[in-house]
Amino acid sequence: LEYSCDLFEADWAEGLLAHYQQLLAAMVATPERRLSQLAMLSDVERYRQIVLWNDSGEAALENPARHQEPTIVALFEQQVERRPEAVALTLIADGQSGRQLSSHLTYDELERRANRLARLLVQRDIGPESRVGIGTGRNLSMVIAILGVLKAGAAYVPVDPDYPKARIAYVMSDAQVQILLLECAQQAVFADLEVECLALDDAEIKKQLASQSEAPLAAPAQGRHPDQAAYLMYTSGSTGQPKGVVCCHRSIVNRVQWLARLGIEPGEVFCQKTSIGFVDHVAELFQGLVNGVPLVM
């Protein structure tokens, strides 16, 4: 076999010849079979590819008695149990005079705030099959809001405050959003919408949140399971009207567990850098939170 050493390694060339020999042997052994039915892989290679490389089974939960099914909420709550005092989330923002300001939430703090919000939402008849809009912008409140909605058993609908007003109105109507979570700074953007708005930093809402229990809601009571809708994301609409795509807990869990198998080194952090209106925000958000790695916004 002649080949260019600038393009190929010797191992590659030897492997090609071995596969060719394997194919010729299979042709002689079973001449009645079609070429497409013949194998080029040796028994060792087939075992490695089909068995060893496909051994992707992952125990989703260490304590199935508590949560029963692997939802993204259950995986986050595992990390809360393991490292309550560890930093889960860091927000780095520009302050006055060019200074950078940092805010932090530990796993325990994030859990307690999300639980309070979940209970407040349940009191407003939010639960399985409910759609809750999130228009807070990209900050700590966004993460608390997403977790709170999921803990209540509902699905969240990302609504970027920087969207054109026509798109915002269409998404809110088409998704049948029941409640929109935002902050006082975004109230003017959503003022014309006929939907209940909860400003998480409003004094009265903060008082209502403070009165809620910090204990998590029982998962069975909220009907949380892996095939339940977690979020509803809308396409760009470049080929017509934006289309809503529902994603379930199972899909997010699959994504973050795949990442964990690639290996996470001590001292690493994950960066949450994209708009809530872009689908990548989901992986960026939960990769850190369910793998015990600090998330930096």
Side-chain angles (χ1 to χ4, degrees), residues 165 168-170 172-174 176-180 187 189-197:
K165 286 192 174 182
I168 292 176
Y170 173 79
M172 296 288 288
S173 173
D174 188 68
Q176 299 180 347
V177 170
Q178 294 175 239
I179 290 180
L180 176 64
Q187 285 180 321
V189 176
F190 302 108
D192 297 332
L193 299 176
E194 295 181 359
V195 63
E196 180 182 2
C197 295

Side-chain angles (χ1 to χ4, degrees), residues 63-115:
N63 187 6
R66 175 179 173 186
H67 300 292
Q68 298 300 324
E69 294 287 347
T71 65
I72 199 65
V73 172
L75 294 182
F76 168 72
E77 290 173 347
Q78 278 188 12
Q79 292 300 329
V80 175
E81 292 177 356
R82 289 176 185 157
R83 42 175 57 81
E85 301 306 319
V87 173
L89 183 61
T90 297
L91 174 68
I92 301 176
D94 292 330
Q96 296 179 345
S97 304
R99 296 177 58 191
Q100 284 193 330
L101 305 176
S102 296
S103 303
H104 306 276
L105 285 178
T106 65
Y107 276 94
D108 183 62
E109 290 171 332
L110 184 55
E111 164 80 348
R112 287 188 282 111
R113 294 194 188 189
N115 288 339

